[in-house]
Amino acid sequence: MIIRKYLLEKTLDELEIEPGTNTFLSAGFGNFGIFNDFENLEDVFNFVVMKLVDKVRPGFVIVPTYSYSFSESGATSFFDPSRTPSKLGHFSNWFLRNVSEYRTPDPMVSCAFSSVKAESQFSDVNDTSYGSGCLFEKLLRSTTPTKILNFGLGYKWMPFIHYLDFVMSSPYRYQKKFRGKIIQNSDVREILWEYHVPIRHPSGEGTRSEEH
């Protein structure tokens, strides 16, 4: 498929997203095909994100920048929001370098925001990725509406799916604690972080879209 710039712009302009809406953008640009009228893929990233930033302002564009930094080996696990790369690929790392003004201090499933103003609203979260007091819960309970925009991805990539697992007490995921260090500026904090992991059983294979 070949996508022309004017068609991409028309599609973005017609999105039913009002100003002041936080927009959670999960993107798979490689699923579209060929983008015409752009110099390179990062030019496409910039075009799409800047259109969205202008469209939702004073709301935020939010991009998942998951790193899964804490592991069984807590002695060597660390996460630095300003330095740790995302494991979700080219787009999420481009967003971190070029757009992000605030990244949540979640060592497993951090998210980056297009404005530093998000820090005052979403920095006070509990030490959990999907449990009570996590970012996803705060977004849903915020007085500012949040919309999900999956760009080139299907519904299985919905970012809130594992928070819903927690709310519904899904039998195929359970809470697990991971030890590690979070580094912010010169501050080093050793913590136990709660992350909901999938059970290792054949019946759970269909649920393991790890991760979004």
Side-chain angles (χ1 to χ4, degrees):
M1 180 185 296
I2 297 177
I3 299 177
R4 303 300 298 266
K5 187 173 185 177
Y6 78 92
L7 288 175
L8 182 58
E9 183 171 26
K10 182 175 183 292
T11 299
L12 293 170
D13 287 341
E14 292 177 352
L15 288 174
E16 295 182 3
I17 302 176
E18 300 299 322
T21 301
N22 294 331
T23 302
F24 199 109
L25 172 63
S26 297
F29 286 88
N31 295 328
F32 281 102
I34 299 173
F35 290 92
N36 260 6
D37 312 315
F38 293 95
E39 292 184 8
N40 52 52
L41 191 55
E42 292 194 353
D43 194 23
V44 181
F45 297 166
N46 187 73
F47 180 79
V48 171
V49 169
M50 290 302 104
K51 289 285 291 185
L52 288 173
V53 167
D54 289 341
K55 188 178 185 70
V56 308
R57 191 180 285 120
F60 314 125
V61 173
I62 310 163
V63 169
T65 55
Y66 305 170
S67 64
Y68 311 109
S69 296
F70 284 10
S71 66
E72 302 287 352
S73 179
T76 58
S77 296
F78 70 90
F79 174 71
D80 183 339
S82 65
R83 293 177 176 269
T84 302
S86 165
K87 289 186 177 177
L88 298 187
H90 191 177
F91 172 66
S92 59
N93 283 294
W94 173 88
F95 190 90
L96 282 174
R97 292 192 306 270
N98 296 280
V99 181
S100 173
E101 295 186 0
Y102 173 65
R103 187 183 189 186
T104 58
D106 184 325
M108 306 299 273
V109 291
S110 64
C111 295
F113 289 73
S114 59
S115 173
V116 70
K117 294 179 181 179
E119 184 172 4
S120 63
Q121 299 181 38
F122 299 110
S123 61
D124 184 24
V125 296
N126 292 336
D127 294 343
T128 177
S129 292
Y130 296 120
S132 179
C134 70
L135 171 67
F136 299 104
E137 182 175 272
K138 288 185 175 294
L139 284 169
L140 290 173
R141 293 184 176 182
S142 172
T143 55
T144 301
T146 297
K147 287 193 173 182
I148 296 170
L149 175 58
N150 283 2
F151 197 79
L153 297 172
Y155 69 91
K156 290 184 178 180
W157 294 84
M158 185 179 73
F160 293 82
I161 193 167
H162 295 314
Y163 171 66
L164 295 178
D165 285 336
F166 163 75
V167 172
M168 301 301 294
S169 299
S170 297
Y172 48 80
R173 297 184 80 88
Y174 65 96
Q175 300 176 20
K176 187 171 182 177
K177 299 283 189 178
F178 293 87
R179 184 180 300 277
K181 297 176 181 178
I182 294 179
I183 304 169
Q184 291 181 282
N185 299 319
S186 58
D187 180 47
V188 179
R189 182 166 62 106
E190 185 168 342
I191 64 168
L192 279 175
W193 190 269
E194 179 184 89
Y195 183 71
H196 291 68
V197 299
I199 61 171
R200 301 305 179 188
H201 188 276
S203 64
E205 288 300 316
T207 68
R208 288 170 54 194
S209 54
E210 296 287 344
E211 273 296 335
H212 308 123

